[in-house]
Amino acid sequence: MYFLNPARPECRNWIVNLYKILVENYDIDGIQLDYVRYPQKTSSVDWGYDEYTINKFIEEKGFDPTNAAEGSYEAQAFVAFKQQQVTKFVKACATELKAINPDLILSLSVSPYYSKGVSNFMQSAELWMDEGYGDLLVAMSYSEGMSSLTNSSIAVACDSPANTVMGVSTINDFTLESVQNQVNTILEAGAGVSFFEYETFYSKGYAGSLENTALKDTQFNIDVDTYKTDVERDDVIDVDEPVNVGEIILYVVLAVAVLAIIGEVI
């Protein structure tokens, strides 16, 4: 498995430039930065130990972190260095995209456990919000234990639940009652709610249930009829302008790139 390396300016710039094409040419409300992190470290694999990153770190810090002991100063310095690389990308997105559209909403998918997000995924979520790089934190809180996660996320999001969106899983076969309870807990805390993911949100009946219960008095836009049309249609959609195949390929590449903002495997 390979990923784009956030320590390389050319990787960061390439993806930012793809986003700029979208913002410059389409009337979009915002961009969601998903997978804006390093992959999680495992017992056998850590990330960011490619030759380029190590050499760049040595140039900056003066020592090689490759064989640093867990928890040592050298190891912690390398973790901080990788955090800085992800933050550079987030900052570039905020600076360059909002220069084009100051009203653009930039949301960031983050670990709901912020201490883990910093140490395991190199996500400096609190810093990003404090510096104004993001407008919303979207916590990937896809378990049933929502209350403590909601409180944890809100505490970090600049003390404002309005800056926090809690994720609810619709792919884990939770009961409708469980999902309703999760949504109620989130909304009562003053946070926003998102669902992962689109297809199962509708196909498993959550949308229809929530439309008349937990989300009844909210501005959450649920359109079951549109979803059915989307998944059932097999006709060709007519367009007024000729389709630019190059643009289609570019945006497919963008979709892949969004999932790959990270360091290379060892």
Side-chain angles (χ1 to χ4, degrees), residues 4-250:
L4 294 181
N5 186 349
R8 287 184 174 270
E10 61 267 35
C11 291
R12 298 194 301 264
N13 294 338
W14 181 67
I15 297 176
V16 171
N17 286 336
L18 291 176
Y19 287 142
K20 288 169 70 175
I21 291 173
L22 295 176
V23 177
E24 288 171 343
N25 292 281
Y26 296 91
D27 182 21
I28 58 177
D29 294 324
I31 287 182
Q32 162 77 5
L33 299 186
D34 195 6
Y35 224 109
V36 58
R37 61 187 188 270
Y38 278 81
Q40 184 169 3
K41 177 182 177 180
T42 69
S43 59
S44 59
V45 178
D46 198 359
W47 307 85
Y49 287 88
D50 57 282
E51 182 179 357
Y52 176 88
T53 303
I54 293 297
N55 288 339
K56 186 174 181 179
F57 178 83
I58 293 173
E59 180 181 339
E60 183 174 314
K61 298 296 185 180
F63 60 87
D64 189 338
T66 303
N67 297 313
E70 187 79 20
S72 65
Y73 166 79
E74 292 79 5
Q76 291 175 355
F78 190 52
V79 168
F81 176 81
K82 290 190 288 185
Q83 292 166 0
Q84 292 166 6
Q85 309 315 305
V86 180
T87 294
K88 286 179 181 179
F89 171 74
V90 175
K91 180 179 179 180
C93 286
T95 302
E96 298 188 37
L97 298 180
K98 294 207 173 194
I100 302 169
N101 178 4
D103 296 324
L104 185 77
I105 298 171
L106 193 64
S107 57
L108 310 161
S109 287
V110 297
S111 168
Y113 300 102
Y114 285 99
S115 59
K116 283 187 177 181
V118 173
S119 60
N120 290 6
F121 299 114
M122 313 301 135
Q123 295 183 313
S124 303
E126 187 170 7
L127 171 66
W128 299 344
M129 297 302 285
D130 287 346
E131 294 295 328
Y133 300 154
D135 298 297
L136 297 172
L137 294 180
V138 181
M140 297 178 290
S141 47
Y142 303 136
S143 66
E144 289 188 280
M146 293 300 302
S147 297
S148 61
L149 294 183
T150 303
N151 294 334
S152 170
S153 298
I154 290 173
V156 173
C158 303
D159 297 320
S160 174
N163 292 336
T164 305
V165 177
M166 301 298 294
V168 175
S169 172
T170 58
I171 63 174
N172 291 336
D173 293 323
F174 296 144
T175 65
L176 292 176
E177 181 181 8
S178 171
V179 171
Q180 288 174 8
N181 289 338
Q182 292 178 56
V183 172
N184 286 331
T185 299
I186 295 167
L187 297 180
E188 288 170 4
V193 62
S194 66
F195 298 92
F196 181 71
E197 41 78 57
Y198 178 86
E199 182 178 354
T200 51
F201 176 67
Y202 284 96
S203 65
K204 292 186 178 182
Y206 296 115
S209 174
L210 292 169
E211 183 179 24
N212 299 309
T213 54
L215 297 177
K216 182 177 181 181
D217 298 320
T218 71
Q219 295 180 333
F220 203 99
N221 184 20
I222 297 176
D223 191 340
V224 176
D225 291 334
T226 297
Y227 166 75
K228 288 180 178 178
T229 301
D230 287 344
V231 296
E232 292 173 359
R233 72 194 312 165
D234 57 4
D235 56 315
V236 176
I237 301 175
D238 293 327
V239 293
D240 295 331
E241 299 294 334
V243 176
N244 186 324
V245 176
E247 284 190 347
I248 293 175
I249 294 173
L250 178 62

